Amino acid sequence: MAVMTYLEAIRETLRQELRRDDRIIVYGEDVGVRGGVFRVTEGLQAEFGEERVIDSPLAEAAIIGTAIGAAVNGLRPVPEIQFSDFIFPAINQIVQEAARIRYRSNGAFGVPMVIRAPFGGGVHGALYHSQSVEAFFAHVPGLKVVIPSTPYDAKGLLASAIQDEDPVLYFEHKAAYRSLKGEVPDERYLIPIGKADLKRPGKHVSIITYGLMVSYALKAAEVLDKEGISVEILDLRSIRPLDVEAILETAKKTGKVLMVHEDNLTGGIGGEVSALIAEHALFYLDAPIVRLAGPDVPAMPYSPPLEHAFMVTPEKITEAARKLAKF
Amino acid sequence: MAGSDALYGLGLDTTKIETMYYYMVLSRALDERMWILNRQGKSAFVISCQGQEGAQVGVASALDPTVDWVAPYYRDLGIVLYFGMTPREIMLGQLAKADDPSSGGRQMPSHYGHKERHVLTGSSPVATQVPHAAGIALAFKIRKEAAVAMTSLGEGSTNQGEFHEALNFAAVHRLPLIVVVENNGFAISVPQSKEMVVADVAAKAAGYGMPGIVVQGSDPLGVHQATLEARKRALKGEGPTLIEIKTHRYTPHSSDDDDRAYKTREQLKAEKEDDAIVLFRQWMMDQKLWDDERDQALRQRVRHEVDDATDYAEAAPYPDPKTLWDHVYHS
């Protein structure tokens, strides 16, 4: 068991998976010689060669489109989109093709592929290096959307995603890469996709969230604990599929739900979670569901005060949870 | 039309020639039946191969269906038949029946796919299959298999970004890929002159450092030869080839279109003078490979196959509504 950063956990999992199964290939812009702009794939090309760790042309639709073809023809591609903001040229391939191939071929073809993409803000990335794009994909049946919140989960969820027979989007928060550290077992293990994780049991308020916001919510919970407010935290781990059972269980238990994500408020996954609770657990609630999310502006600005104003922070979560607890 | 030198230079025996002709005739006859079913109200949608059979059979006959893969587009009836899809299977798809191997009746007709026959499932957004074929070729290259991927599309679709991205990717990685453009002159109603400035789609290959070949769809042997050469290059590790086939579309874009708005009847008549099926039959007769009696017998056989396929598909059951939820994910 070693202590690793979130980034190292992803890299070591890729290494372990590439060693385990020679059908796995990694490719994308800059992933080879440079080891990726964030160094996630550093050293992989040296170990596995240019045919398995491929520097691809800068063209997202080709990266994903060829990965689909390779997957159909027996490989297990793990393409990287350098920033999730740049995934949109490939959305035709992801949504119209990867997501629909199994369904449209009546089960004859499948696309076992994992698309890795860094997402999220607070790193001075401005409009086009800060976006949270997960809700676009969570809308699409046929896709799975995984967002790990710890180094431990990053490993177990990535191994599961690579083993999955369906296309998985695996979003990595940029601010988590080096700020989050934790123990990661050496051996391979799988965390099932679609199972949420109860990070902290509590009595008064449930915070439902995912990704980097889990660590922020944990900080908020510690502050509130000293005030006598007991916070329960549910890490969704994947936003498609959603762990409906776990969502309803925590909602019923505390009766007060705060949904947190950095993605924009409107059409974000918080709306879906709220609807599920409203449909199935309304009479257990003691307060209206609260959503704390990125504001409905087109994207995150660059200038520090504007960026800070956009970001969901531990302080904003603390305040929202405190207010809800007192409702 | 290629002469006998070309014929024997290609290593084609008379059986192969007759097989090529058979698939052209079968494609046309099945397609004509689809329109009848459409006009009878039995099939909501038809999209045709008519006019392009020579191009399609010329390409498919130069590939090896036992190892190669094709990622065709919706007009490629001739290709998928040559790769082994049966008339019954085609008609099951045309009538949206449960046993349609392409999609179980989920897709519009002519959105072919057949894993065992190495036909990749296709969609309606055009040119998305070009990167898929490059990816299939990438897997061949990584596994060092002696096989190629062929993808085909219309000339209008070559304006899509995915066409260019895939050609570039395949060229950089020297993938065993053949990209075939069946240029019938129209993207639905828009003529080539309003789709692109270049006279030949093949010219686009130059930007990716690969050969761009122009052949005539009314000359299936010329198409065959160009495809054979592209396949040889691919297998030698020399990378992809773009083949443009000048061809014609004898029908409207689909059963929901009316081509009289953009194609004069005179032009259509002139195009029909350049019909690969007619010209190929004449060439076979000139070469003493064929005669009227054998032609009658072949057409009888094809009519029987089309009748059988129609009857079979009409009698086949529709999908059970309960299967709506099947195959969203692997189970």
Side-chain angles (χ1 to χ4, degrees):
Chain A
M1 185 99 75
V3 173
M4 286 185 196
T5 63
Y6 186 89
L7 183 149
E8 288 163 343
I10 295 168
R11 181 197 296 142
E12 292 315 308
T13 308
L14 287 171
R15 192 192 310 279
Q16 194 167 56
E17 292 296 306
L18 281 157
R19 283 178 183 164
R20 181 184 64 83
D21 184 345
D22 63 12
R23 296 173 304 166
I24 296 169
I25 56 171
V26 167
Y27 66 118
E29 170 74 9
D30 299 309
V31 303
V33 176
R34 186 75 181 101
V37 294
F38 291 100
R39 305 286 98 76
V40 174
T41 55
E42 191 165 47
L44 297 183
Q45 194 181 62
E47 180 173 350
F48 299 101
E50 283 187 39
E51 289 220 317
R52 295 189 64 202
V53 181
I54 304 169
D55 274 320
S56 73
L58 174 48
E60 287 80 10
I63 291 170
I64 303 305
T66 56
I68 291 169
V72 165
N73 195 8
L75 298 185
R76 313 287 291 199
V78 187
E80 177 185 296
I81 296 296
Q82 194 165 78
F83 287 85
S84 66
D85 315 59
F86 306 149
I87 205 167
F88 298 103
I91 209 160
N92 198 33
Q93 286 292 339
I94 298 169
V95 174
Q96 297 278 37
E97 303 296 324
R100 313 212 199 284
I101 278 179
R102 185 178 301 287
Y103 192 75
R104 80 179 188 217
S105 67
N106 206 22
F109 291 94
V111 183
M113 164 179 76
V114 182
I115 301 171
R116 291 182 38 250
F119 82 107
V123 295
H124 317 307
L127 277 77
Y128 300 105
H129 297 78
S130 302
Q131 292 171 29
S132 297
V133 302
E134 61 270 21
F136 289 107
F137 300 100
H139 183 64
V140 182
L143 298 178
K144 296 182 181 180
V145 182
V146 170
I147 309 174
S149 67
T150 66
Y152 179 89
D153 281 10
K155 178 167 182 172
L157 286 168
L158 183 54
S160 287
I162 290 172
Q163 188 163 302
D164 205 283
E165 293 299 326
D166 291 303
V168 179
L169 289 120
Y170 181 95
F171 289 116
E172 307 160 3
H173 201 292
K174 293 187 285 291
Y177 272 152
R178 290 179 173 81
S179 69
L180 296 185
K181 295 189 177 81
E183 289 197 330
V184 179
D186 298 331
E187 70 276 8
R188 183 171 190 262
Y189 57 94
L190 301 172
I191 296 174
I193 295 172
K195 286 281 170 212
D197 185 24
L198 188 69
K199 303 300 287 190
R200 178 190 171 106
K203 290 184 293 193
H204 302 127
V205 174
S206 296
I207 299 180
I208 302 177
T209 187
Y210 55 88
L212 180 70
M213 293 298 132
V214 173
S215 61
Y216 288 7
L218 285 164
K219 283 179 190 162
E222 277 173 36
V223 173
L224 293 168
D225 194 50
K226 292 181 189 116
E227 299 173 18
I229 299 169
S230 167
V231 175
E232 176 149 310
I233 298 174
L234 185 70
D235 175 7
L236 291 173
R237 282 178 164 162
S238 68
I239 59 165
R240 188 177 195 108
L242 280 171
D243 188 343
V244 178
E245 204 178 316
I247 290 167
L248 298 181
E249 197 178 312
T250 189
K252 288 176 181 175
K253 181 179 169 189
T254 66
K256 291 181 177 178
V257 175
L258 171 62
M259 182 69 215
V260 178
H261 52 66
E262 187 181 318
D263 195 1
N264 303 116
L265 178 74
T266 301
I269 206 67
E272 186 62 30
V273 170
S274 303
L276 284 166
I277 295 168
E279 280 177 349
H280 303 291
L282 180 67
F283 300 110
Y284 293 84
L285 293 182
D286 298 320
I289 300 163
V290 176
R291 289 175 297 160
L292 176 64
D296 280 339
V297 300
M300 195 174 297
Y302 181 63
S303 188
L306 293 173
E307 182 187 58
H308 187 72
F310 185 112
M311 279 301 288
V312 175
T313 60
E315 294 72 32
K316 286 178 186 170
I317 298 171
T318 307
E319 193 187 317
R322 186 187 288 126
K323 199 174 155 197
L324 181 57
K326 288 177 180 165
F327 181 88
Chain B
M1 177 58 64
S4 57
D5 287 350
L7 168 62
Y8 296 113
L10 292 172
L12 293 171
D13 59 21
T14 51
T15 310
K16 181 100 177 189
I17 294 287
E18 285 170 23
T19 303
M20 289 172 70
Y21 180 60
Y22 160 72
Y23 277 112
M24 287 186 239
V25 172
L26 177 63
S27 304
R28 178 73 56 92
L30 267 172
D31 200 284
E32 286 171 346
R33 178 61 55 86
M34 292 171 186
W35 284 87
I36 291 169
L37 291 167
N38 175 260
R39 296 318 191 218
Q40 288 176 335
K42 291 175 177 172
S43 175
F45 181 78
V46 184
I47 194 153
S48 271
C49 69
Q50 288 186 45
Q52 301 182 200
E53 299 92 338
Q56 294 165 4
V57 171
V59 168
S61 60
L63 302 173
D64 182 350
T66 64
V67 294
D68 296 341
W69 270 80
V70 292
Y73 84 124
Y74 42 77
R75 296 201 192 284
D76 281 328
L77 180 56
I79 289 174
V80 302
L81 286 171
Y82 203 98
F83 262 62
M85 289 186 72
T86 66
R88 282 185 175 189
E89 289 175 336
I90 299 298
M91 278 302 175
L92 285 168
Q94 189 63 37
L95 298 180
K97 296 303 179 74
D99 289 337
D100 157 35
S102 296
S103 75
R106 288 174 171 192
Q107 293 222 71
M108 292 177 105
S110 300
H111 288 56
Y112 304 112
H114 199 304
K115 197 170 187 183
E116 290 72 31
R117 301 294 176 210
H118 295 183
V119 177
L120 180 66
T121 168
S123 62
S124 304
V126 297
T128 55
Q129 74 274 24
V130 188
H132 299 170
I136 289 172
L138 177 68
F140 285 147
K141 184 190 166 200
I142 289 172
R143 289 198 299 260
K144 299 180 172 53
E145 288 176 29
V148 307
M150 190 288 296
T151 186
S152 44
L153 66 164
E155 83 289 348
S157 308
T158 69
N159 299 316
Q160 290 283 0
E162 276 145 309
F163 169 80
H164 294 273
E165 291 194 19
L167 259 60
N168 184 57
F169 189 101
V172 168
H173 290 284
R174 300 177 87 76
L175 300 181
L177 175 70
I178 304 171
V179 179
V180 171
V181 176
E182 299 176 34
N183 183 350
N184 62 26
F186 288 89
I188 304 188
S189 68
V190 180
Q192 189 186 334
S193 61
K194 288 184 179 166
E195 295 172 48
M196 64 192 80
V197 172
V198 291
D200 296 324
V201 172
K204 299 185 182 186
Y208 307 108
M210 69 173 77
I213 314 288
V214 180
V215 286
Q216 302 301 316
S218 55
D219 177 11
L221 295 180
V223 174
H224 178 94
Q225 184 161 19
T227 311
L228 271 187
E229 283 166 14
R231 188 169 188 277
K232 272 185 209 151
R233 283 192 74 238
L235 292 179
K236 278 195 284 185
E238 292 172 6
T241 303
L242 176 63
I243 300 174
E244 176 187 8
I245 309 174
K246 308 282 192 190
T247 184
H248 312 291
R249 195 185 79 205
Y250 293 158
T251 63
H253 166 69
S254 75
S255 52
D256 297 322
D257 181 32
D258 183 349
D259 61 345
R260 288 172 297 188
Y262 53 85
K263 188 186 272 190
T264 66
R265 296 306 88 179
E266 290 71 31
Q267 184 181 349
L268 181 61
K269 190 164 173 282
E271 289 178 358
K272 287 191 172 177
E273 299 291 316
D274 193 39
D275 185 347
I277 296 178
V278 174
L279 295 173
F280 197 73
R281 179 179 58 215
Q282 188 56 51
W283 173 81
M284 288 166 74
M285 287 180 169
D286 292 346
Q287 299 294 316
K288 310 286 182 216
L289 299 171
W290 202 243
D291 55 36
D292 281 332
E293 200 179 323
R294 296 173 77 181
D295 205 58
Q296 286 303 319
L298 179 87
R299 282 166 190 276
Q300 193 79 22
R301 174 187 159 197
V302 164
R303 187 174 308 128
H304 173 76
E305 284 185 82
V306 173
D307 285 344
D308 167 75
T310 309
D311 293 346
Y312 181 83
E314 286 198 84
Y318 279 116
D320 186 325
K322 287 200 288 288
T323 64
L324 178 71
W325 296 93
D326 291 352
H327 307 302
V328 178
Y329 295 98
H330 185 262
S331 48

